[in-house]
Amino acid sequence: MASTHLDAAFARAFGAPATGAVQVARAPGRVNLIGEHIDYCGLPVLPMALRQGVRIAFHPRSDRETRLVNRDPRFAPSAFAVNASIPPAPAGDWGNYARAAAQALAQRFRDLLVDSDLPIAAGLSSSSALVVAMALALMHANQVTVAPLELMEFLGRGERYVGTAGGGMDQAIILGARAGCASRIDFHPLRLTPTAVPPDWQFIVAWSLVHAEKSGAARQSYNERTRQCDEARRLVATRLGQREDINYPALLAAAPVEQLLEVAGATGSDVLARRFRHVVTEGIRVRQAEAAMAAHDLAAFGLLLDASHQSLRGDYEVSRPELDRLVELAREAGAAGARLTGAGFGGSIVALCRAERAPEVIAALRERFYAPRGAAGDVERYVFRAEPSAGAEVLTPGASSA
Ligand code: NG1
């Protein structure tokens, strides 16, 4: 959307500002290509930013009030005062993502109009895009600068305000993505390493039509996985004679994979052994996938996507029949590989194919998944080609942003 449209919508929501131009912060959504449910274990992941994202038009106020209006009428206006401690709105209120950023930055405040072309609860990080866009708007209006890596870590921790024990992948890629590239994110210490996505590769994102609401049961299941991974790590470390607080990267460096899996299998908990196996094997797949991308080896990357999905489905138990069906259909239509992306429990899949095959894959999903479910009308929003895009920014006033 052109920012002039946002200016007009802003004026309708708050009245035209008496002084200065309305400014716009933009933060993209992301699709994680591989490395799922391992960022909170401190293991590398390989996401890329999307063209779609969140835009916030903003203008300073002279008091400590922040007023938020969302162009999507499903989200009611929200307001809060910026103090040292900002109480959250009830669980599930979208305004909590803005509060998360404001609480993390604790500055003075403004009127903000939020606009998004990202599907919500689709595993594409619409929530973190909102947190990052909000943080950039607040920082820009208050002339605060924070070094990029520090801001990524800061907002990763800051988003836990909403109650999800998330890793740091989303905030890092949303802020640090490079156009045309996927980025390997390492967490100890935080570092982004871009790899160009080969021009004849096409990643396709398709939504399962199932909302993965982070505020409800999905959050509990997500947080349960983080606890299980931690428990599995402690059990394996103790049995190997390592320190109980050793982190995953160090544990993986301390013993061969076969030995780690054998020790995990002997702990007496089938669930913990399977969670552990997912984490360890997924970590290996990330390295292999990055190498396959650098070597333009589409078939190898596709097989790694398939293996990741099997592991997330069987060992990690975060898939759903709708996601499995989409993966199956994408494969049948000629994708080299496909898997659920994001936290799961609903949300989207990502599939990879040669660029020239993308129309066939998209058409097959439309006919065989969306049409039978009565959802063919809005299909462009549900299934689309993922364009590896640049990270978040504050746009120059008056600049048009397609
Ligand atoms: P999504 O897909 O946005 O719910 C969540 C976490 C990530 C990561 C993935 C699973 C947040 C903000 N994001 O992402 O850190 O753990 O799940 O790989 O909690």
Side-chain angles (χ1 to χ4, degrees):
M1 163 196 296
S3 59
T4 45
H5 291 171
L6 266 190
D7 286 1
F10 183 94
R12 279 197 299 280
F14 300 110
T19 55
V22 171
Q23 292 187 291
V24 176
R26 182 199 72 88
R30 64 99 181 95
V31 55
N32 188 18
L33 302 181
I34 197 157
E36 216 61 85
H37 281 281
I38 60 171
D39 61 343
Y40 49 76
C41 297
L43 293 174
V45 295
L46 189 69
M48 66 186 202
L50 296 169
R51 182 178 48 75
Q52 295 87 335
V54 170
R55 290 186 179 82
I56 297 185
F58 62 97
H59 193 268
R61 294 168 56 90
S62 52
D63 56 18
R64 301 187 76 85
E65 192 72 5
T66 293
R67 299 189 299 169
L68 287 164
V69 169
N70 199 312
R71 294 194 78 196
D72 184 334
R74 289 175 297 171
F75 302 101
S78 191
F80 57 94
V82 178
N83 295 310
S85 169
I86 306 170
D93 189 309
W94 73 282
N96 278 340
Y97 292 103
R99 286 171 172 79
Q103 172 75 78
L105 292 161
Q107 299 286 321
R108 350 175 231 115
F109 290 165
R110 48 232 63 247
D111 292 330
L112 304 116
L113 176 81
V114 178
D115 182 46
S116 171
D117 59 354
L118 259 183
I120 308 289
L124 304 176
S125 221
S126 55
S127 58
S128 302
L130 176 55
V131 171
V132 170
M134 178 77 186
L136 288 188
L138 297 183
M139 286 168 52
H140 192 82
N142 289 285
Q143 286 130 38
V144 171
T145 49
V146 180
L149 289 172
E150 199 186 330
L151 185 61
M152 291 169 196
E153 287 193 306
F154 189 53
L155 294 179
R157 284 195 303 276
E159 195 171 329
R160 297 191 191 142
Y161 173 95
V162 302
T164 308
M169 160 170 68
D170 300 346
Q171 301 79 8
I173 190 68
I174 289 169
L175 279 160
R178 188 183 291 181
C181 295
S183 296
R184 188 188 80 231
I185 303 177
D186 293 278
F187 296 97
H188 295 290
L190 184 61
R191 189 161 49 107
L192 277 77
T193 312
T195 297
V197 177
D200 60 337
W201 287 24
Q202 184 62 61
F203 288 100
I204 293 170
V205 171
W207 182 45
S208 63
L209 301 174
V210 180
H211 287 284
E213 295 293 356
K214 283 296 247 337
S215 48
R219 182 207 282 172
Q220 278 170 27
S221 304
Y222 180 96
N223 288 347
E224 182 185 45
R225 298 298 183 285
T226 67
R227 283 194 300 273
Q228 289 169 334
C229 286
D230 209 42
E231 203 179 329
R233 180 195 53 71
R234 269 191 292 110
L235 281 176
V236 173
T238 322
R239 284 177 181 235
L240 281 174
Q242 298 286 336
R243 288 174 44 168
E244 204 187 76
D245 62 354
I246 190 172
N247 63 23
Y248 264 102
L251 183 61
L252 265 54
V257 179
E258 299 72 26
Q259 189 187 359
L260 290 168
L261 296 181
E262 197 183 313
V263 171
T267 56
S269 165
D270 174 55
V271 171
L272 293 187
R274 286 188 291 118
R275 303 293 189 257
F276 187 82
R277 183 165 59 190
H278 167 72
V279 170
V280 171
T281 58
E282 186 76 353
I284 295 169
R285 284 187 286 271
V286 171
R287 295 280 172 189
Q288 293 172 336
E290 188 189 20
M293 184 176 274
H296 292 216
D297 188 343
L298 178 119
F301 201 103
L303 291 174
L304 291 162
L305 293 180
D306 290 345
S308 173
H309 187 75
Q310 288 315 319
S311 181
L312 288 160
R313 177 187 176 173
D315 281 350
Y316 222 64
E317 297 177 288
V318 293
S319 192
R320 293 202 28 145
E322 295 85 348
L323 292 163
D324 297 339
R325 182 72 182 137
L326 275 172
V327 163
E328 186 182 44
L329 290 173
R331 293 291 274 120
E332 283 174 19
R339 64 176 205 88
L340 73 84
T341 183
F345 316 110
S348 300
I349 67 147
V350 59
L352 171 64
C353 63
R354 289 252 174 250
E356 69 263 19
R357 296 206 79 152
E360 279 163 60
V361 175
I362 291 172
L365 296 181
R366 183 196 307 248
E367 280 154 33
R368 300 184 63 196
F369 187 84
Y370 296 103
R373 289 166 178 77
D378 222 0
V379 81
E380 286 74 26
R381 265 176 90 88
Y382 301 153
V383 52
F384 56 86
R385 295 163 189 248
E387 292 167 31
S389 300
E393 61 188 333
V394 173
L395 305 171
T396 323
S400 158
S401 53

